[in-house]
Amino acid sequence: MQHAIQTENLGRTYKTYTKQEGLLNSLKGFYNRKYTEKVALKNASFKAESGKIVGLIGANGAGKTTLLKMLSGLIYPTTGTARVLGYEPSKRENEYLKQISILLGQKNQLWWDISPRDSYALLTKIYDLNETASKNRVMDLAHLLQCEQVLDTQLRRLSLGERMKMEIIGALLHSPKVLFLDEPTIGLDIVAQTSIRTFLEKYVKEQQPAIILTSHYMNDIAQLADQLLLISKGEIVYDGNVDHFMQTTDLKKKLIYRLKNSAEEKEIVFNSQELNQVLSDLSKTGNVVDLKVEDVDFEDVIHRFLQAESGPR
Amino acid sequence: MKTLFTVFYRRNLALAKLAIITNLQYRFNFIIDAFIQPILTVGVEVLLWLAIFKTADASGLIGGFGKDSYLAYAVWAPFLGRIAISWMYETMMVEEIASGSINTILTRPLSFFEYYLSQTLGYKIITTVFSVTVPIAVSLYFNLPVLYERLPMAFLIVVYYLLLVHTMSFLVSTLGFFLTRIRAFTLLKNLSLLLLGGELVPIDLMPPPLAELLLSLPFSAGVYIPLAYITGRGGWDLMSRGFINTSYGLLIAGILSYLLWKRGVREYTGTGA
């Protein structure tokens, strides 16, 4: 079976200039620069299918964006190979670029000084699309995202949520077969997040693109991802689905309690079979006035995973 | 069936329109850019030459040319100089690489060179259409020695030279792949062009060996050569020399920028994304 995305031992090392504090070191650095190499990603091998969303999770600096950048052809890999739709991304062939899209949640991809509709007209020319079909597609997508009323407002005058919806329309205008979404819901309120999530879910079902999605909102991943990739310190440490990941984790239960004379709720996460031991230990700590036991959810598990992984390398 | 050329043409026309739309969005900035700035620059140059001619000898000639000839030079030099230089778009290109905004171009079926060339041309066309009224009005009012029938050819060489300027801007911006801050290069390049192009001082007033050297470089084709052509200081020989020099300049800048670009995108880290 031909996968939409396939990587083999993909890796990237960055070289950075390091300078110690102070004026003297600035002067020293003027003629004698010290560079250090940082491995952002190593031996990343995975496959992704069309019509599926891959959720990419990792702490800051884990290598998620580096992976997206390599797959979209923005940067060259130092090691390994990547094939997306049968193309080598770093060659950036026009035929390849016409079939992909990357949305960087913290960057504008549309033109800041003109209206989204003007931007889409320009994209229509850049991607050599049929003008009528393109206009209809804009209206369809705007209708799905409920944002028709802002299509003629200058981009810089839109709210963050409206802007993100406009960016999504721009990214989907040419019906890409592969979509890279880096934090598409960052900074959005809960309503806008839900609206974008629902839209993506529907879009994938209908259009069947392969999507790689990174997000700091675990609800995005839990609701949307068919496949989960966990990256830690530049390496893929888990490749499977969300349910399987939850089954393999040791953390199954969460005990939330409150001690007498304290308003603060505390929690302990543990394996199901450790319940007796946990209760026994808790009773020794003081006067427990309130407690409840819950199942650990996806967000909790990932949160703990990221916490453990975000320590120094 | 659409040919590759049609697709290319439509895309670039759309980009040129983008530059026009964007610049017209900000009316006051545009008015200052298209009218106020050229009027002020022309005013400064005219005053300078009037002051110089107060000290001229009895013949009233400097370097074999009279006051009116220099006034024509002073009126048209800043205008042509504005077309033949690219501060704004070069700064944007440099910033694009430094900030990582270039990501949006690199991930689309579009070249960085083409993207900015079309916009530069669009911007130059719209500002030129408005600002050309200033030197024409002044030349007509003071009856300055300008050969108006030669204007189309003069514009042609300036536009051709603009291709070279854009290639140099592209070259400078590719340095952004290797160096974090490169604003000083833009400043250095543009000041050099101002001097080497004859915008500040007519090349024929310079010492002969230096004048000959500057005329053999492509930069004189931006201001001095078209200006000499429309004011009658030079003829077709000088003009054809300008076209040839610009062509070899384009070839050298083109090869250098191609090599730097190829190497640069390999070094690129996609900053800011």
Side-chain angles (χ1 to χ4, degrees):
Chain A
M1 181 188 162
Q2 172 85 26
H3 287 90
I5 301 169
Q6 199 160 355
T7 70
E8 195 69 46
N9 296 322
L10 200 62
R12 170 77 195 207
T13 304
Y14 294 118
K15 200 170 116 183
T16 46
Y17 162 53
T18 49
K19 185 194 82 70
Q20 287 180 326
E21 186 190 354
L23 180 64
L24 193 62
N25 284 314
S26 290
L27 290 170
K28 276 184 190 167
F30 199 78
Y31 65 89
N32 183 19
R33 300 228 150 171
K34 288 200 173 77
Y35 292 92
T36 50
E37 287 203 336
K38 183 186 163 195
V39 179
L41 193 72
K42 59 183 172 190
N43 301 328
S45 302
F46 77 97
K47 291 170 182 168
E49 292 172 36
S50 294
K52 297 274 180 339
I53 297 183
V54 178
L56 192 56
I57 295 178
N60 287 336
K64 306 181 298 288
T65 306
T66 296
L67 178 59
L68 286 192
K69 284 183 199 166
M70 280 195 283
L71 294 176
S72 59
L74 268 177
I75 59 173
Y76 279 66
T78 316
T79 59
T81 56
R83 305 289 292 181
V84 182
L85 301 170
Y87 293 90
E88 203 177 312
S90 58
K91 287 188 176 167
R92 279 210 303 276
E93 293 163 73
N94 277 355
E95 278 315 304
Y96 170 64
L97 296 174
K98 279 182 179 178
Q99 297 180 63
I100 65 151
S101 207
I102 181 165
L103 184 71
L104 304 163
Q106 303 185 57
K107 287 257 173 193
N108 289 318
Q109 325 263 35
L110 297 179
W111 288 266
W112 190 241
D113 293 316
I114 58 177
S115 71
R117 213 189 289 272
D118 274 334
S119 283
Y120 303 143
L122 187 54
L123 288 174
T124 301
K125 298 283 189 330
I126 290 174
Y127 286 97
D128 186 27
L129 307 172
N130 176 287
E131 283 185 33
T132 315
S134 181
K135 278 180 185 166
N136 290 339
R137 187 161 172 77
V138 168
M139 289 318 292
D140 289 346
L141 292 168
H143 178 70
L144 276 174
L145 284 162
Q146 298 166 353
C147 55
E148 298 102 317
Q149 71 285 359
V150 293
L151 287 171
D152 294 308
T153 309
Q154 204 183 25
L155 191 74
R156 62 161 72 234
R157 299 185 195 282
L158 300 181
S159 71
L160 186 63
E162 289 168 336
R163 220 155 59 212
M164 187 48 70
K165 288 178 179 177
M166 296 299 109
E167 294 284 355
I168 289 176
I169 296 175
L172 299 178
L173 191 64
H174 58 289
S175 310
K177 290 182 182 159
V178 173
L179 193 54
F180 303 106
L181 302 175
D182 191 17
E183 306 278 359
T185 52
I186 195 161
L188 302 186
D189 63 37
I190 195 92
V191 179
Q193 281 180 38
T194 312
S195 142
I196 287 174
R197 248 179 245 144
T198 312
F199 167 79
L200 283 175
E201 210 165 19
K202 195 170 171 197
Y203 183 80
V204 173
K205 260 185 205 149
E206 287 171 3
Q207 307 288 324
Q208 297 287 303
I211 295 185
I212 298 195
L213 167 74
T214 79
S215 179
H216 278 122
Y217 301 118
M218 288 312 118
N219 284 339
D220 286 351
I221 306 287
Q223 184 182 332
L224 296 170
D226 301 291
Q227 184 182 345
L228 184 65
L229 279 185
L230 285 181
I231 298 195
S232 169
K233 296 169 186 168
E235 288 185 272
I236 295 179
V237 292
Y238 179 82
D239 179 1
N241 63 38
V242 174
D243 292 340
H244 181 257
F245 177 71
M246 291 301 286
Q247 282 161 20
T248 54
T249 178
D250 289 336
L251 309 168
K252 298 277 172 46
K253 298 276 180 196
K254 179 165 66 175
L255 186 141
I256 301 164
Y257 65 95
R258 191 164 60 80
L259 297 175
K260 192 176 180 186
N261 300 327
S262 169
E264 188 193 357
E265 280 193 337
K266 294 182 175 177
E267 61 180 54
I268 304 170
V269 178
F270 56 97
N271 286 326
S272 313
Q273 62 270 31
E274 294 169 348
L275 181 59
N276 284 337
Q277 184 60 46
V278 170
L279 287 173
S280 156
D281 291 346
L282 183 63
S283 63
K284 290 174 196 158
T285 60
N287 230 343
V288 179
V289 292
D290 191 13
L291 73 80
K292 57 187 171 185
V293 177
E294 288 179 356
D295 281 336
V296 168
D297 63 13
F298 180 64
E299 181 150 13
D300 268 323
V301 177
I302 294 296
H303 178 76
R304 276 161 223 287
F305 168 80
L306 295 180
Q307 229 171 16
E309 297 298 335
S310 59
R313 290 187 184 197
Chain B
M1 200 180 88
K2 277 190 283 187
T3 60
L4 276 177
F5 177 76
T6 316
V7 174
F8 173 83
Y9 170 76
R10 284 189 184 164
R11 182 173 69 221
N12 284 281
L13 188 64
L15 289 169
K17 279 185 192 164
L18 168 72
I20 295 172
I21 293 172
T22 306
N23 281 287
L24 292 179
Q25 287 274 358
Y26 305 105
R27 290 172 293 182
F28 290 111
N29 190 63
F30 180 76
I31 289 167
I32 290 170
D33 199 27
F35 286 109
I36 312 292
Q37 196 186 318
I39 289 171
L40 284 179
T41 327
V42 166
V44 169
E45 291 253 356
V46 166
L47 287 175
L48 182 74
W49 282 106
L50 286 176
I52 290 171
F53 267 93
K54 276 198 171 173
T55 61
D57 60 18
S59 70
L61 300 176
I62 294 177
F65 296 98
K67 189 167 83 175
D68 282 355
S69 175
Y70 281 100
L71 285 182
Y73 199 98
V75 166
W76 284 88
F79 169 74
L80 293 179
R82 284 185 78 253
I83 304 177
I85 208 153
S86 170
W87 278 100
M88 190 169 93
Y89 280 95
E90 182 172 318
T91 307
M92 284 163 76
M93 289 163 85
V94 165
E95 185 56 29
E96 194 102 55
I97 293 179
S99 69
S101 315
I102 193 179
N103 293 351
T104 58
I105 299 170
L106 292 177
T107 51
R108 284 175 177 151
L110 182 68
S111 88
F112 185 58
F113 182 88
E114 174 193 347
Y115 178 74
Y116 273 104
L117 176 62
S118 305
Q119 288 196 77
T120 303
L121 289 175
Y123 165 71
K124 294 291 179 186
I125 287 168
I126 190 71
T127 46
T128 301
V129 163
F130 285 93
S131 59
V132 72
T133 53
V134 177
I136 287 181
V138 176
S139 301
L140 289 173
Y141 186 78
F142 291 105
N143 198 22
L144 297 177
V146 174
L147 305 167
Y148 295 100
E149 70 280 8
R150 288 187 170 188
L151 273 177
M153 186 54 78
F155 278 127
L156 189 67
I157 197 171
V158 176
V159 171
Y160 188 50
Y161 176 76
L162 191 57
L163 274 180
L164 171 64
V165 171
H166 177 70
T167 311
M168 285 193 285
S169 294
F170 181 71
L171 184 65
V172 170
S173 63
T174 57
L175 296 176
F177 287 123
F178 310 97
L179 309 164
T180 311
R181 194 172 288 184
I182 53 169
R183 278 180 227 147
F185 287 89
T186 299
L187 188 69
L188 179 69
K189 188 210 86 188
N190 286 346
L191 286 178
S192 306
L193 291 187
L194 209 65
L195 191 67
L196 300 175
E199 187 179 338
L200 287 180
V201 183
I203 289 179
D204 47 23
L205 283 187
M206 294 182 183
L210 181 61
E212 188 47 41
L213 174 71
L214 293 187
L215 285 174
S216 60
L217 294 175
F219 314 112
S220 52
V223 176
Y224 176 75
I225 288 180
L227 201 43
Y229 189 67
I230 60 171
T231 55
R233 287 164 177 250
W236 175 246
D237 283 355
L238 188 64
M239 190 58 113
S240 55
R241 194 174 176 184
F243 275 110
I244 293 166
N245 290 350
T246 308
S247 301
Y248 82 71
L250 255 174
L251 186 71
I252 295 169
I255 292 171
L256 275 176
S257 51
Y258 174 78
L259 294 174
L260 271 176
W261 172 265
K262 279 281 171 200
R263 179 123 192 255
V265 287
R266 288 197 83 92
E267 298 275 327
Y268 184 54
T269 56
T271 328

